[in-house]
Amino acid sequence: AGRAGGAIDPVDFLKQPQTILRVTTWIFSIVVFGSIVNECYVNKGSDDPELLCIFNENESACSYGIAVGIIAFFGCIFFFVVDLYFQQISSVKDRKRAVLLDLGFSGFLSFLWFVAFCFLANQWQRTKMSKGVSQGADAARAAITFSFFSIIVWVVLAVKALQRYRLGTDMSLFATDQFAADPSAAYPGYPTGSGIESTETYQSPPFTETLDTNPKGYQVPAY
């Protein structure tokens, strides 16, 4: 594509809304699985060394929250790199695949976070408070809260990817930069030295001959 090979401005890249959203959801994923791993496994009793999941002692709830957080963590890193080198992709098809992959992954993560929020919130409501549970209550609430925030951010990322795809179908993302940015602007003319010369290029024919109507030695016969 025409934009391929352009220089990457780190400052402008970090200021892009899409980059800010990816960093935000990356931090949210760390909070969710970090909170569950570090503080959401508690002892059932003071004399019982066995660690149980704080969410109604349901191991599936903790495992699911950790799994979604890790998937989101590495997914954010992958698509952060894709966004960084997107302008270096010269193939139109590869750009389209990258945007579609971003759209599908963002929508899929939105669904996973929605399930995680509902699952964790439901199990937390059923949890019986105890001394061990009260110690990890703040971490459990943080995991539920940031799961909800993650839904919003991933939905916004999916919408941004959809907008990029629509721009691509309008030939403003996947096409070359030779087209004018303003739809009402005229199509650019041929540049100087493009191979199309004006009629004034040659001032005289390359081979000049003086044509005499009556060459020497020849007389017009009279009838």
Side-chain angles (χ1 to χ4, degrees):
R3 299 181 182 180
I8 300 174
D9 190 345
V11 177
D12 290 341
F13 175 75
L14 293 176
K15 290 181 179 180
Q16 292 179 0
Q18 188 166 339
T19 304
I20 297 174
L21 290 171
R22 292 204 192 281
V23 174
T24 301
T25 191
W26 181 72
I27 295 174
F28 288 173
S29 66
I30 295 176
V31 173
V32 173
F33 78 78
S35 298
I36 296 176
V37 170
N38 293 326
E39 300 184 37
C40 288
Y41 284 94
V42 297
N43 299 103
K44 187 175 182 180
S46 57
D47 298 334
D48 190 353
E50 183 182 1
L51 295 177
L52 300 175
C53 179
I54 197 174
F55 294 99
N56 196 30
E57 300 182 2
N58 189 342
E59 180 64 27
S60 298
C62 289
S63 299
Y64 184 82
I66 294 172
V68 175
I70 293 176
I71 293 173
F73 176 83
F74 288 105
C76 289
I77 296 176
F78 174 77
F79 284 102
F80 184 87
V81 175
V82 172
D83 292 340
L84 182 62
Y85 290 99
F86 186 80
Q87 299 299 342
Q88 307 297 322
I89 302 176
S90 59
S91 173
V92 174
K93 293 182 178 180
D94 290 342
R95 286 191 174 196
K96 184 176 181 180
R97 292 191 188 101
V99 175
L100 288 176
L101 182 62
D102 185 12
L103 175 60
F105 185 80
S106 298
F108 180 63
L109 259 293
S110 300
F111 173 75
L112 291 183
W113 279 121
F114 175 76
V115 175
F117 169 74
C118 295
F119 192 15
L120 295 178
N122 177 265
Q123 293 301 308
W124 179 246
Q125 289 179 348
R126 298 181 179 182
T127 301
K128 297 179 180 180
M129 295 302 297
S130 63
K131 183 178 180 179
V133 172
S134 61
Q135 292 177 353
D138 291 339
R141 295 189 185 98
I144 296 172
T145 302
F146 284 94
S147 296
F148 176 77
F149 291 156
S150 296
I151 300 172
I152 300 174
V153 179
W154 281 103
V155 168
V156 175
L157 283 172
V159 173
K160 296 288 292 184
L162 181 60
Q163 291 176 348
R164 294 176 72 191
Y165 179 76
R166 288 180 176 178
L167 285 175
T169 57
D170 291 338
M171 298 299 290
S172 62
L173 177 65
F174 303 120
T176 62
D177 289 339
Q178 296 178 357
F179 296 98
D182 186 4
S184 61
Y187 188 85
Y190 290 102
T192 305
S194 61
I196 299 179
E197 307 293 344
S198 63
T199 56
E200 298 179 356
T201 301
Y202 298 106
Q203 300 297 330
S204 60
F207 301 101
T208 58
E209 295 181 359
T210 303
L211 300 178
D212 190 357
T213 55
N214 293 321
K216 294 180 180 181
Y218 179 81
Q219 295 181 352
V220 178
Y223 297 97

